[in-house]
Amino acid sequence: MTTPDPYASTDAAEPAVLVVDDVEDNRAVLIARLARLGYRAVTAAASGREALALIARERFDLVLLDVMMPGMSGPQVLEALRSEGRLADLPVIMVSALSELASVVECIELGAEDYLTKPINATLLRARVNATLEKKRLRDTIREATRRRLEQLERELMAARALQLGMVPDDLDRPDVPATVHTALEPARQVGGDLCDWFPGEGDTLWFAVGDVSDKGVAAALFMARTWSSLRSVATRQGTAGEPGAVLSAVNTELREANEALMFTTLLAGRLRLADGLVELANAGHPPPFHVGANGTVVPLACEAHLPLGAWPGQAYPTMRLQLAPGDGLFVYTDGITEATAVDGTQYSQARLRAALGELGRLPGRELLSALVANVRTFAGEAPQADDIAALVLRWRPMSTGTSAPCPTAPITPPGV
C-alpha cells in the first residue's frame, strides 16, 4: 500500500488568469490566444480599478496587465498590489508596446514577474505564461509544505512544553509536613532551560533546586532534563551522606559526558532537615537566594557562586549551612527575573527584587510567587519576555512536639483532582 505524501498538492483546479486592458479588441485577442493554449478560466477587466476589485474578491493565479491605461495605469495597479502584500502569491506579467519599455523596467522593480511586448508573439506568450504558472505552482507547493511543517513543529513544541512543565512537581503544602514549597516556571519560548524542583530525601529531608541552562529553546530544554534527572539520581544514590556540595560535584561529572557543545547549567541545590530547620546549600554559578524571615525581613545570602555544572571537570562545591527559625524561608530564582527588561532597556534588577520581596514576603508562597511574577510583568510592560523565569519559595514550619513529620514520598495530588 502506497503511503500518500502529506505535502503533495491536491489542487487540480484549472489556473485562473486575469486579463487587464482598456481596449476591448486587445482583451479579446489575448483571451482567444490563451484559450488555444488550454487556459479557459480567464476573466477580463477593462480598467485598473476593476482589476483590483476582482482580485480583492476572487482567486487568480496570474494577471496579464497592460501598462498604459487611462485612470489607473499598470504601474499604479502593481503599486497597489504590492502595498497590499499580494505579489508574493500573485504573479503579474506586464503587457506593453515597445515604446513603453521604460515603464516595464519600473514594473519589474515594483515586483512584476515578466513582460510581453505588443503585438504579442504566440510562442513567447506560451513560454512566459507556462513558466510563470509553473514557478507559482512550485512556490505554492513549497509554501504549503512549509506551513504544514511549521504547524507540526508547533504541535511538537507545545507537547514538549507540556512535558517540561509536567516535570515541575506540585506545590508542597500539607498539614502533616513541616515545610511548604511553591514553584513558578515560565519558559520564554515554547520550551526553555530553567529548572525548578523539589523531592524527598533520606532521613526526613527535603531537597530543592533551581537551575538555569546556558541557552534557550529545545537544546536547553534537553540539557535541563539531563540536569534534573542527574540531580535526582545522584541525591538518591548518595542518601544521607550526600550533602549538596558532594551531589553537585557528582552531577558535574555526569553532565560533562557527551557534552561536546560545552553547555552548562547554573544550579543552586539545597537540603532541608525537617526536624530542626537546618538548610544545607551548594551553589554552582547561580544567583544567591534570599533569606525571607518570618517577620518579613529580606536578606540576600552570602552563598558563594562557584563554577556552573557541565563544562569544567573535577569541580568541588562547598556546602554552606543556614539555620531557619520557625516561619523562615528561602526565595530562590533565576536571572530571568532580575534581568527582565522594560521597553526603555532598564532591567528589573536585584534591588527591585529585594524591595518587592520586602513588600510581599509575608504572603503565603503561592500568592507571593503570583504577585512577584505580576510585578515583573508590569515592570516589563510591552517588552517581550527575553529569558525563562523560574522561582521557588520554601518555608519551614516546625510541627508540635511529639508530632511526626514525615517527608512525602509520593507526588502530592492538588485539591479537586
Side-chain angles (χ1 to χ4, degrees):
M1 179 177 179
T2 303
T3 302
D5 181 0
Y7 300 131
S9 174
T10 59
D11 185 8
E14 189 174 350
V17 180
L18 175 63
V19 171
V20 187
D21 198 307
D22 62 302
V23 179
E24 183 177 359
D25 288 346
N26 290 344
R27 297 195 301 271
V29 169
L30 194 47
I31 291 171
R33 289 188 174 182
L34 288 170
R36 284 197 291 272
L37 295 175
Y39 299 107
R40 294 178 175 79
V42 180
T43 303
S47 69
R49 298 193 187 282
E50 182 184 355
L52 290 177
L54 284 168
I55 291 169
R57 65 174 183 264
E58 298 181 30
R59 182 194 67 82
F60 292 100
D61 298 294
L62 174 64
V63 176
L64 294 170
L65 177 62
D66 190 33
V67 171
M68 298 299 293
M69 294 184 293
M72 191 175 197
S73 67
Q76 289 174 322
V77 172
L78 200 64
E79 179 66 38
L81 292 174
R82 188 176 75 162
S83 66
E84 295 172 3
R86 295 183 181 274
L87 293 181
D89 302 311
L90 180 60
V92 176
I93 295 178
M94 305 305 298
V95 180
S96 71
L98 286 173
S99 61
E100 300 163 354
L101 284 181
S103 296
V104 169
V105 172
E106 177 189 358
C107 292
I108 296 296
E109 291 175 346
L110 286 172
E113 190 82 20
D114 208 334
Y115 74 96
L116 289 164
T117 56
K118 300 176 183 176
I120 295 176
N121 179 279
T123 302
L124 281 178
L125 175 68
R126 181 179 68 250
R128 290 181 175 170
V129 167
N130 288 350
T132 300
L133 287 172
E134 177 62 15
K135 284 191 287 185
K136 181 183 187 303
R137 186 191 68 78
L138 290 174
R139 284 198 299 264
D140 289 347
T141 300
I142 293 171
R143 187 179 294 113
E144 177 64 13
T146 301
R147 182 189 65 79
R148 294 189 184 188
R149 178 58 186 151
L150 288 175
E151 288 180 353
Q152 179 185 355
L153 181 61
E154 181 68 19
R155 289 192 297 269
E156 292 173 355
L157 286 173
M158 292 308 296
R161 179 186 179 93
L163 288 172
Q164 182 179 29
L165 295 179
M167 294 169 65
V168 181
D170 296 327
D171 291 342
L172 172 60
D173 194 353
R174 291 187 354 191
D176 61 328
V177 179
T180 62
V181 184
H182 296 84
T183 60
L185 178 61
E186 295 189 8
R189 302 177 185 174
Q190 289 94 333
V191 292
D194 279 9
L195 176 154
C196 202
D197 193 21
W198 68 265
F199 54 94
E202 297 287 338
D204 287 347
T205 60
L206 180 72
W207 281 89
F208 58 93
V210 173
D212 185 358
V213 176
S214 61
D215 204 347
K216 302 178 186 67
V218 175
L222 291 172
F223 200 75
M224 180 279 291
R226 280 192 65 193
T227 306
W228 176 84
S229 175
S230 179
L231 175 65
R232 285 188 166 221
S233 174
V234 171
T236 301
R237 289 199 309 266
Q238 295 194 1
T240 55
E243 61 181 24
V247 168
L248 291 194
S249 295
V251 171
N252 179 64
T253 299
E254 290 192 0
L255 293 181
R256 279 279 301 166
E257 299 176 2
N259 185 19
E260 290 79 8
L262 293 181
M263 297 186 71
F264 58 85
T265 305
T266 69
L267 185 74
L268 188 133
R271 181 171 64 176
L272 169 67
R273 278 201 325 226
L274 296 172
D276 58 10
L278 179 69
V279 174
E280 300 169 302
L281 295 169
N283 189 351
H286 203 75
F290 284 93
H291 176 266
V292 182
N295 60 358
T297 59
V298 177
V299 179
L301 290 179
C303 187
E304 184 179 355
H306 293 265
L307 290 171
L309 304 175
W312 294 272
Q315 294 302 309
Y317 298 92
T319 298
M320 71 163 288
R321 290 167 177 80
L322 172 70
Q323 180 61 57
L324 297 181
D328 283 2
L330 294 175
F331 179 83
V332 193
Y333 64 97
T334 61
D335 59 13
I337 292 179
T338 52
E339 295 180 4
T341 305
V343 175
D344 64 1
T346 306
Q347 290 193 337
Y348 190 76
S349 77
Q350 190 183 53
R352 281 190 177 86
L353 175 57
R354 183 174 182 177
L357 289 174
E359 297 175 4
L360 307 171
R362 294 177 182 269
L363 293 176
R366 176 49 50 198
E367 294 178 31
L368 188 159
L369 285 175
S370 297
L372 180 65
V373 172
N375 186 281
V376 174
R377 297 278 185 237
T378 300
F379 169 82
E382 297 298 320
Q385 181 181 340
D387 199 0
D388 306 327
I389 289 176
L392 177 148
V393 178
L394 173 143
R395 282 203 175 95
W396 180 60
R397 53 182 188 189
M399 311 294 287
S400 302
T401 304
T403 303
S404 62
C407 185
T409 57
I412 311 302
T413 302
V417 176

